[in-house]
């Protein structure tokens, strides 16, 4: 998934608020992670009633809403949301792909419709488009230089250096390192990395993450104090090497 060239924020400069409503824990986790990767404030709910309660307290700018929920369908949730927040953007996320289902979702008041399986990049792009068209947000430029300890990644020049030494990375290695650096000191699971870097519809398994982590270690940490660490049973974390 590509990193945006600008951060989308609310009009007052605070992070965009998004509520993800889905009863599949793994899917909710990767969608939530992808949206947080955008710098947004994200919460999740696993049922219709929980979604309404969370929306009332959280006041989201947008909702990613699964139509098939365990207690009642997402269309009824949409009606409740619109009653209290008429201008909230709603993107339906569902396995239903029949034309009539899409028409039902949109005519019920949904703003857009994405079917499973889907690309996280597409989902984020759709949400950004909805928020822009709603006029509730603004963009601010981001610094293209990421710095963690003596490791630097220049997104515009597509260059990586450590201690001033230029490091040659493949496109996928660059994307993975950028993800780790944007989440420096935060443990990311293999599932999160797989979905943030390769996207939800990628057919590979967690072994590809292990493989590329090993590639990065050989290039980033070889002959130096390690920055990429394995947290047993949890995932990987990148942090500055001790001085």
């Amino acid at each position: 998934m590509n990193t945006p060239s600008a951060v989308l924020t609310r009009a007052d400069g605070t992070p965009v608020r998004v509520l993800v409503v889905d009863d599949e824990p793994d899917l909710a986790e990767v969608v939530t992670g992808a949206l947080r990767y955008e710098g947004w404030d994200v919460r999740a709910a696993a049922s219709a009633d929980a979604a309404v309660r969370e929306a009332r307290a959280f006041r989201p700018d947008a909702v990613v809403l699964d139509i098939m929920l365990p207690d009642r369908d997402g269309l009824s949730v949409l009606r409740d949301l619109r009653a209290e927040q008429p201008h909230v953007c709603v993107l339906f996320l569902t396995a239903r792909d029949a034309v009539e289902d899409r028409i039902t979702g949109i005519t019920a008041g949904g703003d857009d419709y994405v079917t499973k399986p889907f690309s996280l990049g597409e989902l984020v792009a759709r949400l950004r488009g909805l928020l822009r068209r709603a006029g509730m947000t603004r963009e601010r430029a981001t610094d293209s230089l990421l710095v963690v300890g003596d490791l630097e990644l220049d997104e515009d020049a597509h260059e990586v250096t450590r201690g001033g030494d230029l490091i040659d990375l493949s496109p996928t290695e660059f994307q993975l390192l950028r993800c780790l650096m944007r989440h420096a000191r935060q443990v990311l699971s293999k599932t999160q990395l797989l979905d943030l870097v390769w996207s939800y519809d990628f057919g590979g398994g967690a072994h590809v993450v292990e493989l590329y982590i090993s590639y990065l270690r050989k290039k980033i940490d070889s002959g130096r104090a390690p920055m990429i660490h394995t947290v047993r049973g949890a995932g990987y974390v990148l942090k500055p090497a001790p001085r």
Side-chain angles (χ1 to χ4, degrees):
M1 183 173 61
N2 295 330
T3 300
S5 58
V7 174
L8 198 66
T9 71
R10 304 176 103 188
D12 62 2
T14 58
V16 168
R17 295 180 182 178
V18 183
L19 176 62
V20 176
V21 185
D22 199 295
D23 63 335
E24 298 180 49
D26 291 343
L27 180 57
E29 180 183 0
V30 298
V31 171
T32 298
L35 300 183
R36 286 178 177 152
Y37 189 65
E38 297 293 304
W40 298 346
D41 187 1
V42 187
R43 296 187 188 178
S47 69
D49 291 342
V52 173
R53 290 194 301 270
E54 192 68 54
R56 189 172 292 130
F58 185 44
R59 309 296 293 181
D61 304 298
V63 179
V64 178
L65 179 60
D66 189 3
I67 287 184
M68 300 296 291
L69 294 169
D71 45 353
R72 53 192 173 97
D73 67 47
L75 298 177
S76 68
V77 176
L78 174 64
R79 289 192 289 271
D80 290 346
L81 293 175
R82 289 275 192 245
E84 296 193 18
Q85 296 173 254
H87 303 296
V88 65
C89 299
V90 176
L91 184 149
F92 280 124
L93 181 63
T94 179
R96 290 180 173 177
D97 59 359
V99 172
E100 56 268 28
D101 289 324
R102 298 186 186 210
I103 293 172
T104 298
I106 298 301
T107 56
D111 299 293
D112 206 345
Y113 198 112
V114 175
T115 57
K116 304 173 185 177
F118 59 93
S119 160
L120 282 174
E122 178 189 5
L123 176 67
V124 172
R126 295 278 190 95
L127 279 175
R128 289 172 70 91
L130 289 179
L131 290 162
R132 286 196 195 97
R133 290 194 293 275
M136 299 185 297
T137 57
R138 64 183 176 88
E139 289 187 327
R140 58 179 174 82
T142 58
D143 189 346
S144 67
L145 186 66
L146 298 176
V147 180
V148 180
D150 63 348
L151 182 65
E152 296 186 3
L153 183 148
D154 190 323
E155 295 180 296
D156 291 341
H158 217 271
E159 290 183 349
V160 174
T161 62
R162 183 164 181 195
D165 296 329
L166 188 64
I167 299 172
D168 184 34
L169 298 180
S170 72
T172 301
E173 290 167 351
F174 186 89
Q175 295 280 1
L176 177 57
L177 181 62
R178 176 165 59 183
C179 181
L180 290 168
M181 292 182 71
R182 283 191 172 274
H183 295 269
R185 300 177 179 83
Q186 176 184 342
V187 177
L188 296 174
S189 69
K190 291 177 185 178
T191 299
Q192 288 174 310
L193 288 170
L194 186 64
D195 291 295
L196 288 171
V197 178
W198 285 270
S199 84
Y200 175 67
D201 58 358
F202 177 70
H207 68 278
V208 76
V209 178
E210 298 172 6
L211 184 63
Y212 274 90
I213 286 288
S214 70
Y215 291 161
L216 272 186
R217 279 179 164 147
K218 289 176 182 176
K219 296 183 177 183
I220 301 298
D221 289 343
S222 180
R224 304 178 175 95
M227 296 184 68
I228 301 172
H229 303 270
T230 300
V231 180
R232 190 179 298 277
Y236 302 98
V237 61
L238 182 143
K239 56 187 177 182
R243 295 182 178 277

